[in-house]
C-alpha cells in the first residue's frame, strides 16, 4: 500500500494543448522563414489594435513592443536569424503557445481587426509537434556537439549572426518536453539550468516550486536518492503544503531507512562502492551502437582516419569529363576528398543564379523528406531524417535541364534513367542518420517500380555554406565532407560488378548553426552498361 501510494505521488502528469493540423515546419528552415513574415504581420495587427484601445491594453502594448523589435531584426535576414537553433525553437514556442495566451487576453475586450487577422493566420501556425520537434533538435545538437546547457542558454554558438538566449521559462519547457519522452537525463540538465537562472535573479513566470518538482523526480529516476531528497526538502521549504513533495519525501525516507538497515551487514569497502554507484550520473545513453559514436565524432570533426601517407595520394586537378568537347578548353576544378571509397569534389560547379533558381522552383513544393521502408518498399517519413525535399524535372525548366546535362557530361554516365533532381532543405538541427543510397540484397523491391536497376552513383550539390555542423560523413571509413556553396561531391555506390559498396554508408550531420540547402541526383544502373562495364571480380 505504501509503495502504491508513493508511486502515485511521484508520477507527474503533463498535459499538452491540443494540436492543429500538422505542417512539419520544424523540418525546413526555408519554410520557417515564412513564419517570420507571419509573425511580423501579427505584430503589426496587434499594434493597430493597441492604438484603438491603448488606455485599456497597456499589458498587450508591452508585448507588441518586445516582439516588434525582434521581428524587425528577423525580417532583415530571415534565414540567418533562423539559422540559430534557439531562435527557431523560440519561434515555434511563440507561435504555438504564447500567441494563443495573448488571444485569450484580447478576447476580454474584443477587437474585430486583430482577432480576424489572428483567425486567418492561425491556419499557418506551427503546432505541438513542431514545437516538440524544435525542442528535440536542441537536445540532439547538445548531444552531438557536446554542448552544455549554459552554452546553449546563452546562445554562445560558433558563427551565429543573431545571438539570442533562453529564458528560465524556455529551459523549463525543454525540460518538460524531455520529461514527456522519459528522458530524465535531459530533464535534469534543463531543469537545473532553469533553477540556476531563477536563483541568479531572473524574473520569470516559471516558479522554483514547479522546477524543483520535475528536477527532484528526474534525479530520483537516475538513482541519486540523496540529491532527490535534498531537492525535495528545498521544495518543501518554499511550499510546505505541496502534496506530491510531502508524499515523495516519506517514500524517500522509507527507502533510505531500508538501505541503511541492509547496509549494516555490508563491509565498509562494499559501502563505499555502493555509495559511488548510487551517486553516479546516468548521463546520455551508453547503449549507442559503435556506428552512432563514430557518426557523432565525425560530425564534430573528430576521429578522421586518413593517414598522412594516404592523404599524400589525394590530388586536385582540372577535369574535362574524359575529353568531353564542352570541357576540353574549359575544364572544371576537381579535388579528391577520399580514396576508398573514392569521393571527389567539383568546385564552382553550380552558379549562385542557378542555386537561387533551383530554390525558387523547389520551395513551393517542399514536403517532409521520406525514406524507403525496407519492409514495404514504399516511401515513408522517418524521425532520423529531419528535412523537407522537392523533386525537379529537367523538362520543366531550362536551368534544371542544364544541370542534369552537366552531371552527365562530367560523370560520363547516362542520366536519362536517373531519378529527378531532389532538392532538400534541412530544419532545426536537421540531419539524416547513417544510411545507404543503394538497395541491399535484402531489399530486392527497393527500386522495382522505377525499372532502372539500383542506384549506381550519387551526385550531391551543396547550395549553401553552413556556419557550423552539417557535414556529410562516412562512418565506415571515417570520412567527413563539409558543405561548401557552389561545389558538388560524387561517388559510386556500386562496384563495377553491380555489388553494393558498403563503405559508402553515410549520413548528414545535424546543422548546428545556419541553413543547409542541397540537391542530389541518384544515377541508376540502366544505360551504364557500356559507360561503366561490369568487372570480372565481385569487388572491382
Amino acid at each position: 500500500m505504501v509503495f502504491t501510494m508513493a508511486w502515485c505521488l511521484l508520477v507527474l502528469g503533463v498535459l499538452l494543448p491540443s494540436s492543429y493540423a500538422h505542417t512539419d515546419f520544424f523540418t525546413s528552415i526555408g519554410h520557417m522563414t515564412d513564419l517570420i513574415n507571419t509573425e511580423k504581420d501579427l505584430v503589426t495587427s496587434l499594434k493597430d489594435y493597441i492604438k484603438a484601445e491603448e488606455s485599456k491594453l497597456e499589458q498587450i502594448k508591452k508585448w507588441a513592443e518586445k516582439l516588434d523589435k525582434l521581428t524587425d531584426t528577423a525580417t532583415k535576414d530571415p534565414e540567418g536569424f533562423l539559422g540559430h537553433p534557439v531562435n527557431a525553437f523560440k519561434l515555434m514556442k511563440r507561435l504555438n503557445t504564447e500567441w494563443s495566451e495573448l488571444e485569450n487576453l484580447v478576447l476580454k475586450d474584443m477587437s474585430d481587426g486583430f482577432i480576424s487577422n489572428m483567425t486567418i493566420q492561425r491556419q499557418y501556425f506551427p503546432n505541438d509537434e513542431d514545437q516538440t520537434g524544435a525542442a528535440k533538435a536542441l537536445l540532439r545538437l547538445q548531444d552531438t556537439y557536446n554542448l552544455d546547457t549554459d552554452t546553449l542558454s546563452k546562445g554562445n554558438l560558433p558563427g551565429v549572426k543573431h545571438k539570442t538566449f533562453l529564458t528560465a521559462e524556455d529551459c523549463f519547457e525543454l525540460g518538460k518536453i524531455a520529461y514527456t519522452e522519459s528522458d530524465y537525463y535531459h530533464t535534469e540538465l534543463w531543469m537545473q539550468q532553469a533553477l540556476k537562472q531563477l536563483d541568479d535573479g531572473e524574473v520569470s513566470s516559471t516558479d522554483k516550486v514547479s522546477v524543483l518538482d520535475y528536477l527532484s523526480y528526474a534525479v530520483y529516476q537516475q538513482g541519486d536518492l540523496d540529491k532527490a531528497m535534498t531537492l525535495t526538502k528545498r521544495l518543501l521549504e518554499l511550499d510546505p503544503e505541496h502534496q506530491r513533495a510531502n508524499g515523495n519525501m516519506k517514500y524517500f525516507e522509507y527507502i533510505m531507512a531500508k538501505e541503511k538497515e541492509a547496509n549494516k551487514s555490508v563491509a565498509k569497502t562494499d559501502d563505499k562502492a555502493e555509495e559511488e554507484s548510487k551517486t553516479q550520473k546516468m548521463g546520455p545513453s551508453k547503449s549507442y551502437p559503435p556506428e552512432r559514436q563514430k557518426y557523432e565524432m565525425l560530425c564534430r570533426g573528430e576521429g578522421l582516419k586518413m593517414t598522412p601517407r594516404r592523404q599524400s595520394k589525394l590530388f586536385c586537378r582540372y577535369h574535362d569529363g574524359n575529353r568531353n568537347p564542352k570541357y576540353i578548353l574549359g575544364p572544371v576544378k576537381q579535388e579528391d576528398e577520399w580514396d576508398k571509397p573514392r569521393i571527389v569534389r567539383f568546385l564552382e560547379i553550380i552558379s549562385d543564379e542557378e542555386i537561387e533558381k533551383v530554390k525558387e522552383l523547389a520551395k513551393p513544393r517542399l514536403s517532409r523528406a521520406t525514406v524507403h521502408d525496407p519492409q514495404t518498399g514504399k516511401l515513408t517519413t522517418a524521425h532520423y531524417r529531419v528535412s523537407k525535399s522537392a523533386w525537379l524535372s529537367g523538362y520543366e525548366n531550362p536551368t534544371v535541364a542544364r544541370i542534369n546535362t552537366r552531371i552527365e557530361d562530367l560523370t560520363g554516365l547516362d542520366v536519362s534513367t536517373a531519378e529527378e533532381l531532389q532538392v532538400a532543405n534541412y530544419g532545426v538541427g536537421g540531419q539524416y542518420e547513417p544510411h545507404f543510397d543503394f538497395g541491399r540484397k535484402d531489399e530486392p523491391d527497393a527500386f522495382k517500380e522505377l525499372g532502372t536497376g539500383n542506384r549506381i552513383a550519387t551526385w550531391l550539390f551543396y547550395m549553401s555554406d553552413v556556419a557550423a555542423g552539417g557535414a556529410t560523413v562516412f562512418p565506415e571509413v571515417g570520412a567527413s565532407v563539409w558543405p561548401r556553396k557552389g561545389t558538388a561531391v560524387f561517388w559510386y555506390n556500386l562496384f563495377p560488378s553491380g555489388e553494393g559498396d558498403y563503405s559508402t554508408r553515410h549520413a548528414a550531420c545535424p546543422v548546428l548553426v545556419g541553413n543547409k540547402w542541397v540537391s542530389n541526383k541518384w544515377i541508376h544502373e540502366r544505360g551504364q552498361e557500356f559507360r561503366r562495364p561490369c568487372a570480372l571480380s565481385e569487388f572491382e
Side-chain angles (χ1 to χ4, degrees), residues 153-309:
S153 180
K154 292 178 179 177
N156 294 328
L157 301 178
V160 297
K161 291 183 179 179
H162 306 276
K163 187 174 178 178
T164 191
F165 63 91
L166 289 166
T167 64
E169 184 183 355
D170 296 328
C171 296
F172 180 66
E173 184 67 28
L174 284 168
K176 284 203 301 181
I177 288 173
Y179 175 83
T180 61
E181 300 290 318
S182 298
D183 179 359
Y184 302 115
Y185 168 69
H186 286 108
T187 302
E188 179 186 356
L189 290 180
W190 286 102
M191 290 301 171
Q192 193 72 57
Q193 181 65 29
L195 186 62
K196 175 181 178 295
Q197 292 179 205
L198 292 174
D199 286 342
D200 289 342
E202 181 179 318
V203 178
S204 175
S205 59
T206 300
D207 60 271
K208 293 182 182 180
V209 169
S210 298
V211 174
L212 286 164
D213 197 7
Y214 280 94
L215 180 56
S216 60
Y217 181 70
V219 168
Y220 168 76
Q221 282 289 344
Q222 295 182 88
D224 194 341
L225 185 57
D226 288 338
K227 186 176 179 181
M229 290 185 70
T230 301
L231 292 167
T232 305
K233 286 177 182 177
R234 183 178 174 186
L235 190 163
L236 289 171
E237 289 173 3
L238 298 172
D239 183 2
E241 304 302 319
H242 196 285
Q243 185 177 2
R244 181 165 47 246
N246 277 299
N248 288 350
M249 182 57 72
K250 290 178 182 177
Y251 176 72
F252 293 155
E253 289 171 348
Y254 174 78
I255 294 297
M256 187 70 76
K258 287 200 69 174
E259 287 184 354
K260 286 182 178 179
E261 186 178 338
N263 288 341
K264 289 179 180 178
S265 58
V266 181
K268 289 184 179 181
T269 54
D270 292 337
D271 274 339
K272 185 177 179 181
E274 184 175 343
E275 183 67 21
E276 289 175 354
S277 66
K278 272 199 312 181
T279 58
Q280 186 178 8
K281 294 285 293 178
M282 180 181 290
S285 173
K286 300 300 182 184
S287 60
Y288 275 178
E291 180 186 62
R292 177 76 188 188
Q293 296 175 23
K294 291 180 187 176
Y295 158 61
E296 292 191 349
M297 288 179 66
L298 290 170
C299 289
R300 296 191 295 267
E302 304 169 2
L304 299 177
K305 294 182 180 178
M306 180 66 75
T307 62
R309 182 175 181 181

